[in-house]
Amino acid sequence: MTNPSVNTDVTEPSASDAPLHSTPLLDAHRALGARMVPFAGYLMPVQYADGILAEHVWTRTHAGLFDVSHMGQAIVAGPDHATTAAALERLVPGDIAGLAPGRIRYTQLLTAEGGIVDDLMVTRPADAAEDGRLFLVVNASRKEGDFALISEGLPAGITLTPLPEKALLALQGPEAAAVMRRLSPTADDLAFMAGGPATVAGFDCHVSRSGYTGEDGFEISVASVDAVALWQALLADPAVKPIGLGARDSLRLEAGLCLYGHDIDETTSPVEAALVWSIGKRRREEGGFPGDARIRRELTEGPSRKRVGLKPEGRAPAREGAEIHADGRQVGHVTSGGFGPTVGGPVAMGYVETAFAAPGTELSLIVRGKPLPARVVTLPFVPARYKR
């Protein structure tokens, strides 16, 4: 059964007359008894028969399999890495030029004012024959706009090619590496935030050592026509169970990871969002990306607000939109909140004025019209267990 205190409100509204897209795994989800919901314009599984709480716990203790084929995949290509990286760096603050072969960089697309259009992953292929190519993965709800923005911002000779023919699976949890060793002996050799080609269960794939749960794991890009067979091969391992959007949300919240449209958007900068670690030293010093004046000013002077972790007292969760009060006034708002199964209580993230952002600061969260005591805590709520 689903624990009623786990937040299942992970749906995003779709235009009433817009048809929902589906991933290649739609029938496979239905065959497993998934409850399907609209999300980012797609019909996606929010949970399976065991429920969100059980799925969350299974991923933390074994290996959870997620369908993330709704995400946008694309290739940016130019004559060589230096040229392609320089082109992409005009749009993002990450150090793409310094990205080593086979490595992955997390970064953001920015507005001219330094707000976050989307966050994305950028992989540089290890194969010298692919020099000048970069593999991108962006959020589902933003991919059409992202691809248009990137294409318009690229100079002549640099192209962006979306990969709609690709599906994407995520295998996450402490037993994910053992599962991959059984199906793809070379994939487990990958370091954290590294990626490259691999054969998984006999299928040609691109595998990265990454994910969005705070656990060790892999993201597997595969041809859509092979997605069902690969999904079934992974589920055939007794360590693996299918996991829906509900547990994906509670897992990433415990891991202190941002969800676009909730914890980050075009009104938030990477500095406010506590993503300074993703901006390389050279980029901080040189700028040359959209909104660099604001971001470099915030790096020097400090932002007016910061994203923080929040630990409410008691058992009542504070949901997105809840006001955060201190000194008799509102000083911020909750952007993500719910029950943390691994923590054993409610957890939340939100933005507060910088003066109230230090760990240990006592605050009040307004829940159902009443103040709920809480304190600022260091993120993540659950220690990350990435491969080191």
Side-chain angles (χ1 to χ4, degrees):
M1 295 293 290
T2 299
N3 186 323
S5 61
V6 177
N7 182 18
T8 61
D9 184 17
V10 296
T11 62
E12 292 185 359
S14 299
S16 59
D17 58 349
L20 290 171
H21 300 287
S22 60
T23 77
L25 293 164
L26 176 62
D27 290 341
H29 296 313
R30 286 175 167 161
L32 290 168
R35 180 161 72 87
M36 307 298 291
V37 300
F39 181 81
Y42 283 76
L43 194 60
M44 297 293 293
V46 69
Q47 67 179 79
Y48 298 87
D50 289 343
I52 293 172
L53 178 59
E55 292 173 20
H56 180 112
V57 173
W58 186 269
T59 304
R60 287 273 186 251
T61 55
H62 300 288
L65 182 61
F66 303 77
D67 177 13
V68 288
S69 302
H70 58 315
M71 305 286 278
Q73 303 180 66
I75 295 289
V76 173
D80 53 65
H81 177 69
T83 304
T84 305
L88 192 57
E89 283 188 355
R90 294 168 56 180
L91 303 172
V92 304
D95 181 0
I96 309 302
L99 187 58
R103 302 296 297 179
I104 305 169
R105 185 84 76 218
Y106 169 81
T107 190
Q108 308 84 33
L109 287 169
L110 300 176
T111 68
E113 294 74 35
I116 301 174
V117 175
D118 198 7
D119 56 345
L120 67 155
M121 302 290 265
V122 181
T123 304
R124 179 183 178 183
D127 188 346
E130 295 190 85
D131 184 58
R133 293 164 62 88
L134 296 170
F135 174 52
L136 312 184
V137 178
V138 304
N139 283 302
S141 63
R142 308 293 287 179
K143 61 183 175 183
E144 291 184 8
D146 289 352
F147 292 160
L149 177 65
I150 295 170
S151 293
E152 292 167 2
L154 294 176
I158 311 292
T159 60
L160 179 136
T161 304
L163 302 173
E165 72 281 7
K166 295 290 188 179
L168 191 65
L169 309 181
L171 183 68
Q172 302 281 292
E175 294 185 18
V179 173
M180 287 296 282
R181 279 194 294 272
R182 290 190 278 272
L183 294 177
S184 179
T186 61
D188 187 36
D189 294 337
L190 290 170
F192 177 58
M193 293 296 279
T199 300
V200 184
F203 300 104
D204 292 333
C205 302
H206 180 278
V207 177
S208 64
R209 195 79 176 245
S210 60
Y212 224 61
T213 62
E215 298 290 336
D216 183 24
F218 305 83
E219 292 193 340
I220 309 166
S221 176
V222 63
S224 294
V225 295
D226 296 328
V228 172
L230 179 57
W231 172 266
Q232 292 172 341
L234 289 163
L235 285 179
D237 193 301
V240 182
K241 287 188 176 182
I243 311 296
L245 292 174
R248 178 174 166 85
D249 193 49
S250 58
L251 289 160
R252 71 90 194 167
L253 176 56
E254 286 188 337
L257 300 172
C258 295
L259 179 62
Y260 191 87
H262 300 261
D263 310 293
I264 52 176
D265 56 31
E266 294 189 11
T267 71
T268 56
S269 77
V271 182
E272 292 176 327
L275 300 175
V276 172
W277 57 268
S278 68
I279 307 175
K281 179 180 179 182
R282 174 179 62 83
R283 304 309 314 280
R284 300 183 201 183
E285 295 174 349
E286 296 178 359
F289 50 85
D292 59 353
R294 170 190 176 182
I295 291 172
R296 295 169 75 189
R297 182 179 67 252
E298 289 179 346
L299 285 169
T300 301
E301 302 174 2
S304 61
R305 60 175 182 166
K306 291 183 178 179
R307 178 175 65 94
V308 297
L310 301 162
K311 187 67 180 69
E313 293 183 9
R315 304 289 291 178
R319 305 295 188 190
E320 179 180 358
E323 295 182 359
I324 303 173
H325 284 215
D327 292 346
R329 64 184 180 85
Q330 183 177 354
V331 297
H333 67 282
V334 172
T335 54
S336 287
F339 181 79
T342 312
V343 175
V347 291
M349 295 191 297
Y351 284 83
V352 297
E353 295 175 12
T354 300
F356 300 94
T361 302
E362 296 183 355
L363 302 166
S364 293
L365 311 181
I366 307 304
V367 178
R368 299 186 182 91
K370 297 181 179 180
L372 175 70
R375 70 181 188 280
V376 176
V377 296
T378 301
L379 293 171
F381 298 102
V382 175
R385 296 195 290 184
Y386 306 125
K387 181 182 179 181
R388 301 298 184 187

